[in-house]
Amino acid sequence: MTETPWWDPARHADRRPLLAARGRIQCAFRGWLEAEGFTEVDPAALAASPGNEAHLHGFATDAIGNDGQARRLYLHTSPEFAMKKLLAAGETRIAAFAHVWRNRERGPLHSPEFTMLEWYRVGEGYETLMDDCAALLALAARAAGSEMLRFRDGSCDPFAVPERLSVAEAFQRHAGVDLLATVGADGATDRDALAGQARAAGLRVAADDGWSDILSRILVTHVEPHLGHGRATILDRYPAPEAALARRAPDDPRVAERFELYACGVELANGFGELTDPAEQRRRFQAEMAEKSRVYGETYPLDEDLLAALAMMPPSSGIALGFDRLVMLATAAPRIDDVMWTPVP
């Protein structure tokens, strides 16, 4: 049976309360950001590189110059690169509601085009971003008129203090996996050791699965479903090989200053203590692109302007929040398309 289009008047009438709540949440967030001293910026969507993480997929286009020559550009998967250049230029607290584009992503929680709220704090640790997340969860619920965040049969109290849990603790608790035993102080990983633990946890491991593939499978099947129920979970201290844009933790080089925010088993945000060493960032980007080539047979160019800007970028923390997903949870909508004014065809 053909689904009724989103622009059908009856269906729009059903969706409109969700869209109105979206507007109230966005307005409330803008008020909070202004009160916190943030400047709202509007980064360009076209970029020299869509991002250099192995499993992110960009949309490519050709910009035709006045001379008729084509130059390959990409729709950004995040405004991160542009915003870091603004930090290098001298901005200290910036935020953006940015439309972003990611290929190979479609489903109840994914849209090829979606809205990301991204913000940066110069001179402040990434723990401050955790406090920001707690404040925004409560603010979203109040703006939507909701007492709980909900997705499917999961619920989360947006006013409760979030649980803070390291990735290693979560893997041990929910999968019986000693993750850091497979990571060296130099960032080297032991694929076979993690594969053995994954099989013991009942997971299938393919011969061509790398360490990151196995980690992702354990996370998705055994860990994520348990996160953010009752109260939000801050999943902290990611293994360094899984944090290409984050500083390493000062007390343990095997992990990095990266966290993700979960509610109702849904990932909402990804925050970092930002890496500002251009040589180390180049090395990590090159490693990510080597993995992308291995898995997908393609790579993206490095943004040389970003690498140059990192040399001037001050110590900072930054985070990206999936705005549509948070609206979903605040309104108990079942699909991301339900909270988008004009869903992608």
Side-chain angles (χ1 to χ4, degrees):
M1 184 173 66
T2 303
E3 185 178 37
T4 304
W6 60 262
W7 43 263
D8 177 84
R11 185 173 177 196
H12 181 68
D14 289 340
R15 294 193 327 120
R16 200 174 193 287
L18 307 179
L19 300 171
R22 177 193 179 102
R24 294 195 304 272
I25 295 170
Q26 189 169 29
C27 183
F29 280 17
R30 283 196 160 111
W32 182 87
L33 289 164
E34 183 177 7
E36 286 285 312
F38 285 88
T39 297
E40 185 171 345
V41 300
D42 187 14
L46 286 173
S49 172
N52 294 112
E53 296 179 54
H55 303 293
L56 279 183
H57 303 279
F59 285 80
T61 189
D62 288 324
I64 309 299
N66 293 342
D67 59 359
Q69 298 300 306
R71 177 189 173 211
R72 177 54 51 95
L73 292 176
Y74 300 86
L75 291 171
H76 62 191
T77 57
S78 160
E80 178 174 8
F81 289 5
M83 294 180 78
K84 286 182 173 178
K85 294 169 191 174
L86 287 172
L87 298 182
E91 296 294 336
T92 58
R93 284 193 185 184
I94 54 175
F97 283 96
H99 278 239
V100 299
W101 291 262
R102 297 186 178 185
N103 235 331
R104 301 191 184 212
E105 296 193 9
R106 196 72 196 247
L109 289 167
H110 295 86
S111 173
E113 179 181 355
F114 62 98
T115 300
M116 182 178 285
L117 171 60
E118 191 154 325
W119 68 100
Y120 290 84
R121 292 177 175 270
V122 167
E124 299 180 75
Y126 82 134
E127 293 86 355
T128 305
L129 302 176
M130 301 177 190
D131 296 333
D132 291 347
C133 287
L136 291 175
L137 289 182
L139 195 59
R142 290 192 191 98
S146 303
E147 295 183 358
M148 299 290 284
L149 304 179
R150 300 187 186 279
F151 181 67
R152 294 176 177 164
D153 58 353
S155 63
C156 172
D157 182 351
F159 307 104
V161 176
E163 169 192 33
R164 185 173 173 182
L165 183 68
S166 75
V167 175
E169 290 169 336
F171 271 56
Q172 189 66 61
R173 178 184 301 178
H174 298 300
V177 169
D178 185 353
L179 180 61
L180 292 186
T182 71
V183 183
D186 60 352
T189 56
D190 187 336
R191 181 264 180 203
D192 292 341
L194 187 58
Q197 293 194 66
R199 293 190 184 97
L203 293 176
R204 182 189 62 81
V205 177
D208 61 347
D209 281 340
W211 182 89
S212 290
D213 301 317
I214 301 167
L215 178 145
S216 179
R217 190 166 298 125
I218 298 170
L219 180 66
V220 169
T221 60
H222 282 48
V223 178
E224 284 187 336
H226 299 284
L227 304 180
H229 295 285
R231 59 174 174 157
T233 298
I234 290 171
L235 190 64
D236 190 19
R237 292 168 68 89
Y238 268 70
E242 293 295 300
L245 292 145
R247 292 190 298 257
R248 295 199 180 206
D251 62 325
D252 188 343
R254 297 175 299 171
V255 298
E257 292 185 352
R258 176 190 173 190
F259 75 90
E260 291 193 326
L261 173 70
Y262 285 84
C264 308
V266 176
E267 178 207 337
L268 291 176
N270 190 13
F272 301 96
E274 300 292 350
L275 178 65
T276 56
D277 179 339
E280 174 64 12
Q281 188 65 84
R282 181 184 296 277
R283 186 192 67 77
R284 294 189 193 181
F285 280 165
Q286 289 171 338
E288 288 285 317
M289 290 301 91
E291 177 67 3
K292 187 174 190 67
S293 178
R294 182 188 73 83
V295 178
Y296 303 107
E298 64 173 343
T299 63
Y300 296 136
L302 305 190
D303 186 333
E304 294 293 342
D305 281 348
L306 170 69
L307 294 169
L310 287 181
M312 297 184 288
M313 180 177 151
S316 308
S317 60
I319 186 168
L321 181 145
F323 182 70
D324 314 87
R325 284 189 179 183
L326 181 52
V327 174
M328 280 181 63
L329 271 56
T331 60
R335 299 181 306 175
I336 195 169
D337 284 1
D338 293 330
V339 297
M340 302 176 76
W341 278 95
T342 62
V344 176

